[in-house]
Amino acid sequence: MLTLLINCYCYLKTVDFGFCVLGRFLKVGFEPDCVVITTLIRGLCSVDRVGEAVMLFTVSDRVVKGIQTSSIACGTIIHGLCKVGNNHAALRLLRKMEERNLLVDVVVCSTIIDSLCKDRLVNEAYHIFLGIMWKGVLPNVTTFNSMINGLCGSSR
């Protein structure tokens, strides 16, 4: 029930209230799980507090085992990093996901490809595009649109 309340606050972009609920969560003796922490990370990213989201992601592994091995949590952080234009950090996290054999899906890859293309880093985006196809991840319409826009924008 408290997880649902945290989720509602995050969707309403009142993530601070979500942290208040987390405090209550801890006070009554419940331990937060990966879903709760990922929800708060998404909430922080939605209000452009990506630095705090990354810090929560990094620190929370001490409290919630497995948060950094969660593909969903990693994807949420990658989305937030790309949203603020920190492509290099997003790429580092993508590489860590690959090293840990975590699920790297088309949504995560499309997010990075789109952000790279918007920042006119089309060569890097193209390498990721080829890499995901080589690994068997099928690009979707969003992936192709991002690549086409990026290539056209760079007169290619």
Side-chain angles (χ1 to χ4, degrees):
M1 185 68 169
L2 293 176
T3 305
L4 180 63
L5 188 57
I6 290 172
N7 191 38
C8 290
Y9 280 131
C10 288
Y11 267 109
L12 292 171
K13 297 187 184 235
T14 53
V15 70
D16 291 332
F17 290 137
F19 278 102
C20 291
V21 173
L22 176 64
R24 179 65 93 189
F25 204 91
L26 297 170
K27 190 173 183 178
V28 296
F30 292 121
E31 291 185 21
D33 61 4
C34 192
V35 174
V36 171
I37 300 300
T38 302
T39 302
L40 289 167
I41 289 170
R42 183 187 37 77
L44 287 168
C45 289
S46 73
V47 293
D48 297 326
R49 291 165 58 184
V50 178
E52 292 173 59
V54 171
M55 188 169 51
L56 177 60
F57 176 74
T58 304
V59 174
S60 64
D61 201 44
R62 295 183 201 148
V63 179
V64 180
K65 295 298 175 204
I67 186 82
Q68 292 191 6
T69 57
S70 164
S71 296
I72 295 171
C74 290
T76 304
I77 288 292
I78 285 174
H79 177 75
L81 290 168
C82 287
K83 182 179 174 184
V84 296
N86 194 342
N87 295 318
H88 296 295
L91 286 169
R92 279 194 307 271
L93 185 53
L94 177 67
R95 299 296 173 233
K96 283 184 183 179
M97 287 178 71
E98 292 171 342
E99 289 170 8
R100 295 176 182 166
N101 293 321
L102 296 179
L103 175 69
V104 178
D105 63 1
V106 69
V107 175
V108 169
C109 293
S110 294
T111 301
I112 292 176
I113 288 170
D114 185 58
S115 183
L116 288 169
C117 286
K118 285 179 180 174
D119 286 348
R120 300 201 179 274
L121 300 169
V122 179
N123 287 336
E124 289 87 344
Y126 189 67
H127 288 296
I128 296 215
F129 178 77
L130 292 177
I132 65 170
M133 288 182 23
W134 185 76
K135 292 175 185 170
V137 177
L138 296 176
N140 60 17
V141 173
T142 304
T143 315
F144 281 112
N145 282 341
S146 297
M147 280 307 311
I148 290 168
N149 285 334
L151 290 167
C152 288
S154 64
S155 300
R156 294 171 59 190

